[in-house]
Amino acid sequence: MSFFTELYDHILIGAGVAISPTNLMYCLLGVFLGQLLGALPGIGSLVAITLLFPVTYHLEPTTALIMLAGIYYGSAYGGSAASILLNLPGTPSSAVACLDGYPLARQGRAGAALSMTTIGSFVGGSLGILLMMMFAPTIAEAALQFGPWEYVSLIIMGLMSASAVGSDSPLKGIAMVVVGIFFGVVGQDVSSGVPRFVFGMNDLLDGIDLVAIAIGLFGIAEVITTLRPGMTEAVDKFSVTLRSMIPTRDDLRRSWAPILRGSAIGSFFGILPGTGALIASYAAYAIERRVADDPSRFGKGAMEGLVSPETANNAADQTAFIPTMTLGIPGSATMAIMLGVLIMNGITPGPSVVAEQPELFWGLIMSFWIGNVALVILNIPMIGIWTRVLTVPYQLLYPIILAFVCMGIYSINQSSFDIWVVFAAGTVGYGLRMLQLPLAPLLLGFVLGPMLEEHFRRALVLSHGDFMMFLERPVSLGLLIVTAIIVGSSLYSTYFGRGARSALLEEQGNGGPEGDIRP
Amino acid sequence: MVVHVNRDMLIGFCLALFGAAIAIYAYAKYPIGSIFRMGPGMFPVMLGCASILLAIAIALRSHGKQGDPIEINVRAAAFILVALAVFAIIIEPFGVVPALLALLVISSGAVPGRTIVGTAIFSIVITACIVFIFVYLMNLNLNLFGWPA
């Protein structure tokens, strides 16, 4: 019973924070911009957050976090619009929506498709928020007992999940993690003060700037890749009226179960560190097909195939906050940026933040409710605007993106060195894309690597070099077993069966996002 | 530009080189310490060894595969990366406005078929908007026009 009274108190605290005029304004601004940028093809949540991050730099930490979160889950709502109307995903996790969303649009049902994904997204997001409200405090309390062994196992689990799950080659994923950890190591070693791999460049003493490397690897490389020759094909324009957005009873009947399934699947993958909305959406699609009465309808406009992945990616995006806020371990590259932003603002997320800064934590959660409701409301009248936004040709868009990127990065430290980091990261990122190596594990390795090293060193000092401690402590052992299961099953499915993702991509046939992006 | 290469062999090769480089450099330059008290060099060496092992595994798995074509968009990559570099070079001595103009003009070259006049107008308009947003809306103190001292 006291659990509920505590929860009630927390809700009140959070609501008070979330409704304050500043926070409310920035929340709405964040979801609006997030949805707008998410809808534009080529700009996913990661690019959106790094583009708008300079705006938040001068805000209070709570407000900044609320706005960034709004951008984050807002872009999950917007991404499906481009998938449905243009057959081009607006965000990587919306790629699956192309499969059944675009055929629906071609059948003249774009409006219903859009409204059903909004409903599904709202339900998914809501479930995610509820889970966060119920379980995050408990997890945080448990995590207070964690020692360095648990953190090491947790980070390893996150990194292994990120590289192994759903990827075509777990080996390459792990290799990218290792490379990423190396880049994270660059800088002054915290324990000994020795500058590592700095080569005399003093700007590197604090390490490579997270935002710069992220925008270079993902944003710049994405821009270069998107500029394929022959991009200027004519775009089918689908008319979307308010009337057409009302779903039929058949749509609703078909969709409620996929929505529930999608929410569950998404929440699961969101909580698991290392996996997120992208995997959730693919898994949801695969599972829908498997449980459908008539799998042959998929790929031709099956509402279930559209609604379940879109629900899953929203649920995953919400629950991804759980490991990030309660444990300080980001679940995806985008979460890593949020974590970086928080640290820049002087807040180190982790078990103590939930207890010591309830206004931040619960204010954030209540702002999720406000944001999700706002997104549903925004989606209905703004549909006309979205469809017009989507017709902006990419040729005009990308120089603007580049200009925002450069100005944004420069405005943080007023240092041209950061631009050079973007340049180098962009070059490396493009090279890796050409080699078809996954980029997200690299960024996760970059963020988590230093943490891993710190905890690993401390663990060994505390246990006097005893490696068996990692296996003797129950939580650590449990996490390592889960890791082994995850890696084992994905190795199995890669080498002995067909991964759902490669099967999906083969059947899709035509274009989707190139390379393995997964921000 | 289309390049035919056995991608995985290339990856394995680069990764092995990378791993060897960092392991050797770290071993030579930074104190390693013992397993009880790890020095700053220990972790990079471990990373290097892991890279080499992974490189061998990746290269072995790909043995015998024929090269897949990789399509590299050299023009786009060159223009965009050069634009970034020029921005980085220009911004401190010359200020924000010239740097932005240069960035926009050069990056427009990444896609063929742009007119000079169109590009110029576009660049000026966007520069103005960005200056407005960043300097006036966000109240940042930025050096708009600088001259080398």
Side-chain angles (χ1 to χ4, degrees):
Chain A
M1 200 47 218
S2 75
F3 173 74
F4 285 104
T5 41
E6 262 185 53
L7 186 61
Y8 186 67
D9 284 334
H10 288 144
I11 293 179
L12 285 182
I13 297 177
V17 172
I19 299 186
S20 85
T22 327
N23 289 341
L24 196 60
M25 178 177 84
Y26 280 103
C27 176
L28 295 174
L29 184 64
V31 297
F32 176 73
L33 290 173
Q35 173 146 39
L36 183 66
L37 290 176
L40 291 171
I43 306 186
S45 51
L46 191 113
V47 180
I49 288 182
T50 27
L51 277 178
L52 293 171
F53 159 76
V55 177
T56 66
Y57 193 59
H58 306 275
L59 298 172
E60 290 263 329
T62 312
T63 317
L65 190 59
I66 289 180
M67 178 165 172
L68 286 173
I71 299 171
Y72 179 61
Y73 55 83
S75 63
Y77 274 82
S80 49
S83 303
I84 294 173
L85 295 171
L86 293 180
N87 202 25
L88 271 182
T91 63
S93 61
S94 309
V96 189
C98 296
L99 294 174
D100 275 285
Y102 190 62
L104 275 171
R106 291 172 85 185
Q107 292 163 22
R109 307 214 55 225
L114 288 166
S115 57
M116 286 311 295
T117 50
T118 307
I119 295 176
S121 296
F122 181 71
V123 173
S126 304
L127 180 68
I129 303 176
L130 282 172
L131 283 176
M132 192 163 172
M133 290 168 73
M134 308 273 237
F135 292 114
T138 328
I139 298 180
E141 250 186 74
L144 283 171
Q145 313 289 332
F146 279 9
W149 304 268
E150 279 73 35
Y151 277 104
V152 168
S153 302
L154 192 60
I155 294 178
I156 291 182
M157 182 174 92
L159 291 175
M160 289 294 119
S161 316
S163 43
V165 175
S167 157
D168 292 333
S169 171
L171 279 179
K172 292 183 190 168
I174 301 177
M176 286 290 99
V177 166
V178 171
V179 172
I181 296 180
F182 167 72
F183 286 119
V185 160
V186 170
Q188 196 167 29
D189 176 31
V190 182
S191 317
S192 60
V194 171
R196 292 191 286 189
F197 298 101
V198 166
F199 301 115
M201 290 184 274
N202 283 334
D203 292 292
L204 282 180
L205 278 178
D206 276 331
I208 302 179
D209 185 40
L210 168 67
V211 180
I213 198 177
I215 198 71
L217 273 182
F218 290 99
I220 304 290
E222 177 71 26
V223 167
I224 301 178
T225 316
T226 314
L227 291 173
R228 285 183 295 277
M231 286 177 38
T232 49
E233 292 132 16
V235 165
D236 297 330
K237 295 218 175 56
F238 301 111
S239 82
V240 181
T241 63
L242 273 182
R243 176 69 63 81
S244 75
M245 287 183 62
I246 303 177
T248 66
R249 193 176 300 165
D250 184 57
D251 289 334
L252 291 169
R253 183 180 60 85
R254 285 184 186 285
S255 302
W256 69 266
I259 288 182
L260 289 178
R261 278 192 285 268
S263 304
I265 296 171
S267 303
F268 170 70
F269 280 108
I271 295 187
L272 205 59
T275 58
L278 185 70
I279 294 301
S281 60
Y282 280 110
Y285 189 79
I287 292 182
E288 269 323 298
R289 277 186 63 191
R290 208 160 292 175
V291 305
D293 314 315
D294 184 11
S296 66
R297 288 175 46 241
F298 281 69
K300 302 190 197 116
M303 192 58 88
E304 303 91 309
L306 173 65
V307 147
S308 181
E310 281 305 302
T311 309
N313 71 14
N314 276 73
D317 277 337
Q318 292 293 167
T319 53
F321 279 96
I322 298 182
T324 311
M325 298 301 291
T326 59
L327 301 167
I329 311 270
S332 66
T334 322
M335 274 295 143
I337 306 269
M338 291 243 204
L339 193 74
V341 168
L342 280 173
I343 296 179
M344 262 188 239
N345 274 303
I347 303 173
T348 316
S352 43
V353 164
V354 178
E356 289 165 23
Q357 298 201 342
E359 306 87 27
L360 175 78
F361 185 72
W362 292 100
L364 182 68
I365 294 186
M366 296 314 289
S367 80
F368 288 164
W369 285 114
I370 299 180
N372 273 285
V373 169
L375 281 164
V376 175
I377 300 177
L378 274 179
N379 261 292
I380 301 175
M382 301 233 120
I383 267 306
I385 303 189
W386 300 143
T387 43
R388 219 153 305 158
V389 156
L390 289 173
T391 60
V392 173
Y394 199 69
Q395 275 100 313
L396 292 183
L397 209 51
Y398 79 86
I400 304 181
I401 296 175
L402 288 178
F404 262 97
V405 163
C406 287
M407 283 306 293
I409 299 280
Y410 186 71
S411 70
I412 301 176
N413 281 324
Q414 316 254 342
S415 152
S416 62
F417 184 78
D418 292 337
I419 309 283
W420 286 112
V421 173
V422 176
F423 170 82
T427 317
V428 169
Y430 187 60
L432 293 176
R433 289 282 291 262
M434 288 295 104
L435 291 172
Q436 288 189 349
L437 286 167
L439 289 174
L442 197 153
L443 196 70
L444 272 173
F446 176 76
V447 176
L448 293 175
M451 284 190 223
L452 180 68
E453 182 185 17
E454 190 193 323
H455 288 294
F456 189 63
R457 272 161 126 166
R458 195 180 307 156
L460 285 177
V461 167
L462 283 179
S463 68
H464 303 291
D466 181 12
F467 276 94
M468 291 312 288
M469 278 293 257
F470 290 101
L471 298 175
E472 283 166 25
R473 292 173 65 105
V475 178
S476 170
L477 177 64
L479 290 169
L480 288 174
I481 292 180
V482 170
T483 311
I485 295 177
I486 293 177
V487 174
S489 65
S490 83
L491 281 175
Y492 178 79
S493 71
T494 309
Y495 298 122
F496 297 108
R498 286 208 319 180
R501 193 160 153 265
S502 18
L504 282 180
L505 288 177
E506 281 173 38
E507 290 179 28
Q508 186 186 353
N510 59 346
E514 282 182 344
D516 189 12
I517 319 174
R518 286 202 276 161
Chain B
M1 181 178 95
V2 178
V3 172
H4 284 268
V5 73
N6 185 344
R7 202 174 284 138
D8 288 355
M9 289 294 265
L10 184 61
I11 293 175
F13 178 71
C14 293
L15 202 58
L17 212 60
F18 168 79
I22 66 178
I24 295 175
Y25 188 83
Y27 191 75
K29 274 218 119 185
Y30 308 125
I32 299 288
S34 67
I35 197 72
F36 300 102
R37 311 197 58 122
M38 287 169 59
M42 174 81 96
F43 206 60
V45 168
M46 289 168 72
L47 290 176
C49 294
S51 297
I52 296 179
L53 288 173
L54 286 165
I56 296 177
I58 294 177
L60 278 179
R61 271 195 38 87
S62 78
H63 197 66
K65 276 195 209 158
Q66 51 179 187
D68 305 332
I70 309 178
E71 196 188 313
I72 306 181
N73 189 346
V74 180
R75 179 182 180 137
F79 271 95
I80 290 184
L81 293 172
V82 165
L84 285 176
V86 167
F87 184 90
I89 297 174
I90 290 191
I91 188 152
E92 260 161 17
F94 290 101
V96 162
V97 170
L100 274 177
L101 285 173
L103 175 75
L104 289 165
V105 167
I106 299 179
S107 63
S108 299
V111 177
R114 311 289 291 271
T115 66
I116 298 190
V117 177
T119 310
I121 298 180
F122 177 71
S123 305
I124 296 177
V125 168
I126 298 296
T127 304
C129 292
I130 291 194
V131 166
F132 177 70
I133 295 177
F134 276 83
V135 176
Y136 295 110
L137 281 186
M138 283 164 51
N139 271 322
L140 287 173
N141 206 357
L142 289 173
N143 183 14
L144 283 180
F145 288 97
W147 297 105

